[in-house]
Amino acid sequence: MSFHIVEQAPARLNRSELAVPGSNPTFLEKAAKSNADVVFLDLEDAVAPDDKAPARKNIVAALNDLDWSGKTVSMRINGLDTHYMYRDLVEVLEGAPGKLDMIMIPKVGTASDVYAVDMMVTQIEDATKAAKRIGFELIIETALGMQNLAEIAAASKRNESLHFGVADYAASTKARTTVIGGPNRDYAVLTDPDDAGNRDVHWGDMWHYPIAKMVVVARANGLRPIDGPFGDFSDPDGYRAQAMRASTLGCEGKWAIHPSQIELANELFSPSEKEVTQAQRILDAMEQAQKEGKGAVSLDGRLIDIASIRQAKVLVEKAAQIKGAS
Ligand code: GLV
Ligand code: MG
């Protein structure tokens, strides 16, 4: 290990992250009763300009009056380039002090964006003597944010997670997309002909680079990497595939832009019983090996070593975290 110790963000389950517009009180009530690990109350893109002020009031009421126990509650503020953002923070943090767990900052472009919000939140928390210290979720959804990712991730002690906002990212990079967060058949290669002259089209994942980069930077800074939206909520198989590839790369969860996506995310980002049992077997085998003074052994015909212990521990700890929350 490096001499540099990576401090980890507070441990929270973040398998599913439900987006709910602050402009709709009925949806807010449903969100509080849902099985989402995290709910973010939206003041940004799901709320029209004329609805911003009433949406803040709905959110204050929802935070004060609804029962959010068992889940993490966040609020997505408007971008720093708007005149809505300061009122989002002031009205909601003063109207419901100590109620929010996290604030989601959209379209973060530079480390100073995070610094600015940190300064405002710190002032309001001090003034309201809020008992809880709010964490930050940062949406990386512009070319600028992706370029400055490392500085952004290290910009505040409040930072907890990085999110890939694929819809705005596509707009910012001028990528050609079809469905939000889905694949595009044009991102493909044509194989060389085989002996019979046949050629195949191999699709690639056009989001591989940004997600992989986000995972690396998040983990290097002790933050949770979270995959963003999948727009076609009538396509659970499409959601499953996109979630599974994000999970395979190391993401801890994915947004649910519709309640039907919550259970899918909870399932796909939980280790299966088979995986947990296998991880426990690895830990047991390594414990035995260490007693015998060995650094590596074989289990089921495969080499396992100290690195296998680390991977197995991550899995077993995650399973315990999920069990503890249910
Ligand atoms: C989320 O905000 C996105 O733009 O995908
Ligand atoms: Mg966005």
Side-chain angles (χ1 to χ4, degrees):
M1 287 293 180
S2 164
F3 185 58
H4 175 92
I5 304 294
V6 176
E7 231 177 276
Q8 299 298 315
R12 294 182 195 277
L13 272 187
N14 206 162
R15 297 166 301 174
S16 51
E17 176 134 358
L18 178 67
V20 52
S23 46
N24 190 322
T26 312
F27 285 3
L28 292 171
E29 269 179 45
K30 283 190 181 154
K33 292 190 190 122
S34 75
N35 279 334
D37 289 338
V38 181
V39 174
F40 80 79
L41 316 175
D42 195 13
L43 285 172
E44 200 218 14
D45 283 356
V47 177
D50 287 349
D51 291 339
K52 302 278 186 199
R56 289 186 197 115
K57 291 197 168 45
N58 295 338
I59 290 180
V60 168
L63 288 171
N64 285 324
D65 302 341
L66 299 177
D67 178 6
W68 297 96
S69 52
K71 50 179 68 60
T72 294
V73 193
S74 182
M75 170 176 78
R76 180 163 74 168
I77 56 175
N78 284 282
L80 275 76
D81 58 333
T82 70
H83 63 274
Y84 303 116
M85 187 281 272
Y86 81 100
R87 295 214 70 84
D88 295 344
L89 288 175
V90 173
E91 282 192 26
V92 178
L93 298 195
E94 287 190 354
K99 293 289 167 74
L100 277 173
D101 299 297
M102 297 194 287
I103 281 172
M104 176 179 261
I105 313 177
K107 301 178 181 67
V108 177
T110 67
S112 359
D113 288 344
V114 181
Y115 185 86
V117 180
D118 195 350
M119 179 270 291
M120 279 195 68
V121 170
T122 302
Q123 288 199 18
I124 304 170
E125 277 183 348
D126 286 353
T128 56
K129 299 192 174 41
K132 221 187 295 185
R133 185 183 154 87
I134 287 173
F136 285 170
E137 317 186 88
L138 312 174
I139 319 184
I140 305 305
E141 50 184 345
T142 61
L144 185 64
M146 196 53 77
Q147 173 185 267
N148 295 328
L149 199 48
E151 295 81 17
I152 288 170
S156 168
K157 289 248 181 259
R158 294 181 188 269
N159 288 357
E160 291 199 17
S161 53
L162 299 179
H163 298 241
F164 179 50
V166 63
D168 274 303
Y169 184 78
S172 171
T173 54
K174 304 197 190 322
R176 295 186 181 188
T177 61
T178 46
V179 59
I180 290 176
N184 184 336
R185 64 187 311 144
D186 291 336
Y187 193 73
V189 291
L190 192 59
T191 62
D192 281 347
D194 65 13
D195 291 346
N198 300 317
R199 306 183 79 180
D200 285 326
V201 175
H202 281 192
W203 289 31
D205 177 5
M206 66 184 290
W207 310 118
H208 176 79
Y209 167 73
I211 296 179
K213 180 173 175 185
M214 178 185 74
V215 169
V216 171
V217 175
R219 295 301 185 195
N221 287 275
L223 312 180
R224 298 184 293 278
I226 307 294
D227 191 21
F230 180 71
D232 187 353
F233 54 80
S234 57
D235 179 11
D237 290 342
Y239 183 92
R240 264 197 196 93
Q242 297 308 88
M244 208 53 210
R245 64 84 157 94
S247 166
T248 304
L249 275 179
C251 285
E252 282 192 34
K254 183 165 174 65
W255 288 17
I257 51 122
H258 187 269
S260 65
Q261 295 178 335
I262 296 173
E263 293 304 338
L264 295 174
N266 286 350
E267 177 203 323
L268 291 159
F269 288 92
S270 299
S272 67
E273 249 179 70
K274 197 171 148 205
E275 285 171 310
V276 179
T277 309
Q278 182 61 7
Q280 195 54 59
R281 286 183 70 223
I282 291 174
L283 292 179
D284 294 345
M286 282 308 296
E287 196 184 322
Q288 186 58 31
Q290 282 175 341
K291 273 188 199 146
E292 292 165 13
K294 295 180 193 158
V297 281
S298 76
L299 180 70
D300 306 329
R302 291 189 186 152
L303 176 86
I304 54 169
D305 60 7
I306 311 280
S308 320
I309 301 187
R310 285 186 209 109
Q311 291 171 31
K313 270 191 179 153
V314 167
L315 235 134
V316 169
E317 279 164 15
K318 165 70 79 172
Q321 193 188 20
I322 293 166
K323 210 165 163 199
S326 58

